Amino acid sequence: MMAGIVLAAPAAWPALPDSTLCRYALGLQAVLLVACVTVPWQRLGPLVPLAIPVLGLVAIGLLRDGSSAGLPDPGILSVLPVVWISASRLSAPASLWLSFTVPLLAAAPWLLADRAAPLAARIAEALLVPLMMAAVCLAMRFARARLRHEQWRIKSKEAELEVLLADSRERERLLNTILDTVDVGIVAVDADGRRLLTNSWQTQLEESAVAAPGSPAPVPAAAQAAARPASESGAEEVPAEEGRLVLTGQDRNTPLPLERRPIRRALGGESFADYLVCFGEGPASRVVSTGARPLKDDADDFRGAVVVFNEVTGLVDALAAKDEVVSTVSHEFRTPLTSIIGNLDLVLADTEGLDSPVVRRVEVAQRNAERLLALVSDLLMSASAALHVHPRRTDLAGLVEASLGSAQAQAQASRVSLAMDVRGPLWAHVDPLRISQALDNLVSNAIKYSPDGGSVRVSATTGDGLVRLHVEDTGMGMTAADASRVFTRFFRSPAVRDGSIPGAGLGLSITKAIVERHGGSISCRTRPGHGSTFTLELPADGPPAAF
C-alpha cells in the first residue's frame, strides 16, 4: 500500500513527498520490509515478530499527520497490522489493547495539536480509527476462536471416523476370514443380480463346474429364451460366465433351466432351504444343498438375497449306497422267502396225516414268513428312487371302504372299532393302487398303536381344489419330538419300542413318498395319550406334475 502511495504521489499529491513526517513513515516502512526479509524471526521467540505490525501502526500514524490535502485518510491502512496482531499468539486482552492504543498514540498528538477544529471533533477523529481497529481485532478474535472450534470439531470427527474406519476394516478382515474358513459357499447379490460378495469356497465350486471353452452351453435354448427378460433386466446369476456354468438336476445329467437355478430363484424373492442341485455333470459332479433368504430394507422392500451352498455329495452317495445295499439284500431275501411260503402253502393244502400241533406250527411259520416278505417288500419300496404313480379320476370313498374292510379282522383282534365318514362319490385325481396302499398303512398303524382298544375313524373334507382324508385314532399318541420325525425312514418312538409293537418304521415314510408323488402332502397332529390324526391332502382334479 505504501508503494502504491509513493508511485501515485507525483501525479495525485505533489506536496506529499515534501512532508518530513511522510518521509519518516516511508523510511520506517522500508526498514520494516527489509527486516521482514532478512531477520530470522523464528529464532527470536513467538512474540518478537509483533514489533513489525506495531511499528507499522506508528508509520501509518506518521503518514496521517504528514499527508497532503486530497489524500484519503491513511488510517484505514491500520487494519492490516491489526489483522496480524489479532492472528498472533498474543492473548485476547493484549491484542485488543495494542489494536486500540497504538493507533491512538500514533495519531493523537498531531490531531490534538490542530487548534482550528473544535475539541469534540478532534477527540472523535482521534478515537475513530482506534475504535475501528479494536472492533476489527475483536471480530478477528471471534473469527479465530470460531475457526479453532471448527478445526477442533473437524479433528474430533476425523478421529472418530478413523476409529470407525479401523473398526470397519477389522470387521471386514474378520468377516472375510470367517467366510473363507467355513466349508460352505456364500453368495450375496443385490436386487439387480450384481454380486456383492462371493467367498473363496464358492469360487472354487463354480470353477469346478465351468465347461471348457468352446463347449456348448449346458442350458437348452428354450430355457435361455424363456429366461431372457430376467437377463435383460440385469438379473444374471454369473454375469461373465452364465452360459459356461454347468448346473444339473439331481440325476446329474439333465441341465438345470435358468429359472430353476438357486440364485435366479432367490432374485425372484423366493426363500427356500435344502434345494439340491449338482455342479457339473456325470459321476464327477458335486451335489450341493442350497438355501436362500431375501435382504430387505427398513421399508420391507426387496434389496437382494443371500444364497448358501453346502456340498452334500458324500451324504448323497452314502444314502445311494445304503439304498443299493438294502435293495440288493431285499432281493436276495425275497426269492427264498417266496419259495418257503410256497412250500408251506403246499403243506397246509394237504394236512391229512398231520397232527394238530404240527399244523399250528406250520401256520405260525407261514404267518411269520409272510410278515417277513411284507417287510422285504417295504424295504424294496423305500430303497427305490423312482416311485411311479399313474393318476386318474378315482372315487376315494370306495378306496376308504375297501381299506377299512381289509382291516376289519385286525381291528377285531385288537378290540378296535372302525368308522367311516366319507360320502361317495368323492372324486380325486390319484393312482388308486398307490393311495390304497397309503390308506392301508395309515389304518393299520392306527389299529396297531391302539393296543388297549379304542376307535379309528376315517373322514374327508374338500376345499381349495384339494381333497383331505383324515385318519383319526384314540390310541397312545406321540410327543411333539416324535411327531417331527415320524415320517423318517426306520424311525420308531421309544414308547413303541418299549411296548414291543412290531414294525420296521417304513410304513409312514412310504406313505409320505406316495402322497408327495401325487403333488399332495401329509401331516400329523398328536398328543401323548390322546391319539393321533393323520391328514392327506390330494388334488381333487387335473393332472399333477409328471413323474
Side-chain angles (χ1 to χ4, degrees), residues 260-519:
R260 299 306 302 163
R261 294 190 174 193
I263 295 181
R264 188 62 60 87
R265 288 183 60 187
L267 288 172
E270 291 188 56
S271 179
F272 55 88
D274 295 329
Y275 176 54
L276 295 182
V277 298
C278 299
F279 278 71
E281 54 187 345
S285 63
R286 301 167 69 179
V287 184
V288 178
S289 175
T290 65
R293 292 292 182 274
L295 295 174
K296 295 187 177 181
D297 56 18
D298 294 338
D300 204 34
D301 294 329
F302 181 77
R303 304 299 296 171
V306 176
V307 186
V308 179
F309 300 78
N310 183 23
E311 185 174 4
V312 292
T313 306
L315 177 61
V316 170
D317 290 344
L319 290 174
K322 184 192 73 172
D323 289 342
E324 185 177 355
V325 170
V326 170
S327 179
T328 302
V329 172
S330 300
H331 274 294
E332 294 297 327
F333 281 170
R334 194 166 192 171
T335 300
L337 280 173
T338 303
S339 177
I340 291 171
I341 292 173
N343 283 279
L344 290 174
D345 288 340
L346 292 175
V347 172
L348 292 175
D350 184 11
T351 58
E352 285 189 32
L354 295 178
D355 296 334
S356 295
V358 174
V359 173
R360 285 196 299 273
R361 291 189 182 97
V362 172
E363 289 175 346
V364 170
Q366 182 191 42
R367 284 197 302 272
N368 282 278
E370 289 175 347
R371 178 183 168 191
L372 187 56
L373 182 60
L375 177 59
V376 168
S377 298
D378 287 346
L379 285 170
L380 281 172
M381 182 173 293
S382 68
S384 175
L387 181 65
H388 299 287
V389 297
H390 303 283
R392 63 175 183 270
R393 195 165 185 260
T394 304
D395 179 15
L396 292 180
L399 298 184
V400 173
E401 185 176 2
S403 179
L404 293 179
S406 300
Q408 193 65 45
Q410 180 188 1
Q412 289 176 354
S414 301
R415 303 191 311 278
V416 174
S417 63
L418 302 179
M420 170 181 171
D421 185 14
V422 180
R423 295 181 180 180
L426 181 62
W427 299 107
H429 196 82
V430 298
D431 184 332
L433 180 62
R434 294 298 188 186
I435 295 302
S436 293
Q437 183 182 359
L439 284 171
D440 289 344
N441 283 338
L442 293 177
V443 172
S444 176
N445 279 351
I447 297 171
K448 184 165 55 175
Y449 298 126
S450 301
D452 299 325
S455 63
V456 175
R457 178 173 172 269
V458 182
S459 59
T461 58
T462 59
D464 300 328
L466 297 172
V467 176
R468 296 175 179 85
L469 293 177
H470 311 280
V471 180
E472 180 181 1
D473 66 69
T474 58
M476 58 196 305
M478 292 177 287
T479 64
D482 290 341
S484 66
R485 301 178 57 196
V486 72
F487 298 107
T488 305
R489 282 191 294 178
F490 304 108
F491 172 75
R492 305 187 76 219
S493 68
V496 171
R497 293 196 298 268
D498 293 342
S500 300
I501 298 175
L506 291 172
L508 288 177
S509 66
I510 293 172
T511 300
K512 182 174 185 289
I514 291 173
V515 174
E516 290 181 346
R517 283 294 180 177
H518 283 83

Side-chain angles (χ1 to χ4, degrees), residues 172-231:
E172 183 180 2
R173 283 192 293 268
L174 177 62
L175 176 61
N176 290 334
T177 302
I178 293 173
L179 292 178
D180 290 337
T181 301
V182 296
D183 291 332
V184 296
I186 300 175
V187 175
V189 293
D190 62 13
D192 294 326
R194 291 185 293 268
R195 292 204 179 193
L196 306 176
L197 181 147
T198 303
N199 68 342
S200 58
W201 194 95
Q202 179 64 19
T203 301
Q204 295 172 4
L205 176 66
E206 292 178 356
E207 288 175 352
S208 69
V210 173
S215 61
V219 181
Q224 290 185 0
R228 189 159 297 156
S231 298

Side-chain angles (χ1 to χ4, degrees), residues 6-266:
V6 171
L7 294 176
W13 310 289
L16 184 63
D18 297 332
S19 172
T20 303
L21 293 177
C22 180
R23 289 197 294 268
Y24 287 157
L26 295 177
L28 181 57
Q29 285 288 353
V31 172
L32 292 176
L33 179 61
V34 173
C36 288
V37 177
T38 58
V39 176
W41 299 100
Q42 65 274 11
R43 299 180 183 178
L44 303 178
L47 298 181
V48 175
L50 290 177
I52 294 175
V54 171
L55 293 176
L57 289 173
V58 173
I60 293 172
L62 295 174
L63 184 64
R64 290 183 67 193
D65 181 71
S67 59
S68 63
L71 178 67
D73 188 1
I76 194 65
L77 298 178
S78 300
V79 69
L80 299 177
V82 168
V83 170
W84 187 330
I85 294 172
S86 302
S88 69
R89 297 183 181 180
L90 202 61
S91 65
S95 298
L96 287 171
W97 184 83
L98 283 177
S99 299
F100 177 80
T101 304
V102 174
L104 179 64
L105 294 177
W110 294 277
L111 291 173
L112 294 176
D114 185 6
R115 302 294 183 179
L119 179 61
R122 285 180 286 156
I123 293 175
E125 186 177 359
L127 292 176
L128 180 60
V129 171
L131 288 174
M132 289 175 57
M133 296 304 106
V136 170
C137 179
L138 189 62
M140 286 293 298
R141 298 300 300 194
F142 276 121
R144 184 180 179 188
R146 178 79 177 182
L147 179 61
R148 285 179 176 176
H149 175 72
E150 290 297 325
Q151 289 176 340
W152 175 83
R153 194 166 66 86
I154 291 173
K155 288 181 179 179
S156 299
K157 292 293 183 183
E158 288 179 350
E160 292 178 6
L161 289 176
E162 288 178 358
V163 172
L164 291 175
L165 182 59
D167 186 56
S168 175
R169 287 174 177 170
E170 182 64 26
R171 289 177 179 272
E172 183 180 2
R173 283 192 293 268
L174 177 62
L175 176 61
N176 290 334
T177 302
I178 293 173
L179 292 178
D180 290 337
T181 301
V182 296
D183 291 332
V184 296
I186 300 175
V187 175
V189 293
D190 62 13
D192 294 326
R194 291 185 293 268
R195 292 204 179 193
L196 306 176
L197 181 147
T198 303
N199 68 342
S200 58
W201 194 95
Q202 179 64 19
T203 301
Q204 295 172 4
L205 176 66
E206 292 178 356
E207 288 175 352
S208 69
V210 173
S215 61
V219 181
Q224 290 185 0
R228 189 159 297 156
S231 298
E232 291 172 357
S233 66
E236 294 185 355
E237 181 174 341
V238 188
E241 297 180 337
E242 177 78 25
R244 295 179 58 200
L245 189 62
V246 181
L247 266 73
T248 56
Q250 294 185 39
D251 62 357
R252 303 193 180 187
N253 289 311
T254 305
L256 199 64
L258 289 178
E259 65 274 9
R260 299 306 302 163
R261 294 190 174 193
I263 295 181
R264 188 62 60 87
R265 288 183 60 187

